């Protein structure tokens, strides 16, 4: 198993190119199952989760090829299976996203109960309730969710009990081929949902209400071929900007979209960071100073993203003051706190919050990554710490950060990947 060895304490300085967004590319890849026509996708990041989704498309009978420019050419013409197998689904929860497209196009989908990050129980009950509202029958057999329809999905008026990103995406993809109009209320408004809407529209879907909490979808008979470029990864961009702040450095992320990072940039400014936006470049300059503590409460978009919570926890370890970070989206997403205390951090868990008394210095230590964003936060803590940090189980980080050690090395970080 790979691990990182980090020698911290250097301010990071330089420019980092931002990759395509994992959380936009995954539903877009799943949506490719909706059409027999060929699709071409640009700016898909090279990540383990993306490889898993491509393998899943392959297991269903789809074909995915990479052309010389790095774009993905996808054909879901001859799908010969409706079953997303346990071996793939257990490594990535987002595999559930093939359910909507398979059900809409073929009237049948079988998906193993999803796994993924160890951040709470993360049920999919709302996805299933929505499919039922569209006329699907749901059964559970041998660890698989089996969804079927007689005569196809029907449009419906469905209100999500709570905001769910994956649930919104799954029902949206199902509704584009359903018979009649579907109204989805209390939907997630994450930029990745808007990216999916744009992709579906490019394929000929009829959708309105993007960027609001109600989506209206008028089903169409079939979808056509298109070429689409995936949006930049706002969480990757935010992670590098926080790394600049935590190390007292200055990083410019290139190819990013500041509009997607509203509260993240505001919180960096509250921490004393000079944040400048110039087109698709965002610069965070800590001006060689120590950051100030900032409180954070996670919330659905446009609130503060849960996927940036752990990184801001890392920033607060070395900040001046006391911070409270509250997680409201996922249970059990504060596991990194314990690892951070191994680095001499003054951090305590209080229910769904962590309280951090920032220290001038934290020290390197062996730590263990527990999920994707927690791994990123431990890398940031290691970069800010004096001495050597070893981050184990970095397979989590490879799920969601493209070439992270190369990108960090290019801004002066002393980080090496090693194999046990
Ligand atoms: C997506 C993102 C993930 C991000 C999360 C919240 C992808 C691939 N992953 O995950 O990085 O952290 O949004 O922004 O895009 N819930 C239910 N029942 C359901 C569905 C969800 O109770 O049927 C709960 C979950 O347990 C969780 C909360 O709703 O507590 C939010 O989950 P959801 O928005 O669905 O997250 P994901 O789509 O899994």
């Amino acid at each position: 198993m790979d691990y990182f060895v980090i020698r911290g304490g250097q301010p990071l300085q330089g420019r980092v190119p931002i990759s395509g967004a994992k959380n936009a590319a995954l539903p877009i890849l799943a949506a490719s199952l909706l059409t027999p026509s060929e699709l071409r996708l640009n700016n898909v990041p090279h990540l383990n989760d993306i490889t898993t989704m491509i393998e899943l498309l392959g297991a269903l009978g789809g074909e995915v090829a990479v052309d010389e420019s790095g774009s993905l050419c996808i054909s879901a013409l001859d799908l010969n299976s409706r079953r997303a197998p346990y071996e793939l689904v257990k490594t990535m929860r987002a595999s559930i996203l093939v359910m909507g497209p398979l059900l809409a196009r073929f009237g049948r989908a079988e998906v193993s109960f999803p796994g993924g990050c160890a951040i709470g129980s993360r049920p999919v009950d709302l996805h299933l309730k929505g499919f039922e509202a569209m006329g699907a029958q749901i059964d559970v057999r041998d660890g698989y969710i089996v969804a079927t329809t007689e005569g196809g999905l029907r449009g419906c008026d469905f209100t999500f009990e709570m905001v769910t990103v994956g649930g919104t995406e799954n029902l949206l993809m199902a509704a584009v081929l359903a018979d009649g109009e579907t109204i989805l209320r209390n939907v997630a408004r994450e930029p990745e949902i808007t990216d999916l809407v744009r992709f579906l529209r490019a394929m000929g879907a009829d959708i309105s209400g993007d960027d609001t909490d109600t989506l209206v979808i008028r089903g169409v008979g079939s979808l056509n071929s298109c070429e689409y470029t995936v949006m930049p990864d706002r969480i990757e961009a935010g992670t590098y900007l926080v790394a600049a702040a935590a190390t007292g450095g200055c990083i410019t992320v290139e190819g990013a979209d500041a509009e997607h990072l509203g509260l993240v940039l505001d919180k960096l400014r509250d921490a004393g960071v000079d944040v400048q936006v110039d087109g698709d470049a965002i610069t965070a300059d800590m001006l060689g100073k120590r950051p100030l503590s900032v409180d954070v409460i996670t919330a659905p978009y446009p609130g503060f993203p849960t996927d940036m919570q752990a990184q801001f926890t890392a920033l607060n370890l070395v900040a001046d003051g006391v911070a409270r970070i509250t997680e409201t989206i996922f249970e059990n997403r504060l596991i990194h706190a314990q690892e951070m205390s191994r680095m001499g951090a003054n951090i305590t868990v209080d229910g769904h919050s962590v309280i951090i008394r920032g220290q001038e210095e934290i020290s390197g230590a062996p730590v263990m990554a527990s999920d994707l964003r927690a791994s990123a936060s431990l890398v940031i803590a290691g970069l800010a710490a004096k001495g050597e940090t070893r981050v184990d189980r970095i397979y989590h980080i490879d799920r969601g950060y493209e070439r992270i050690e190369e990108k960090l090395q290019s801004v002066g970080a002393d980080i090496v990947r090693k194999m046990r």
Side-chain angles (χ1 to χ4, degrees), residues 23 93 122-127 162 164-166 307 329-330:
N23 286 356
R93 176 182 159 82
R122 301 180 81 177
V124 290
D125 54 319
L126 301 177
H127 303 227
M162 62 187 284
T164 150
V165 173
D307 285 351
I329 308 290
F330 291 111

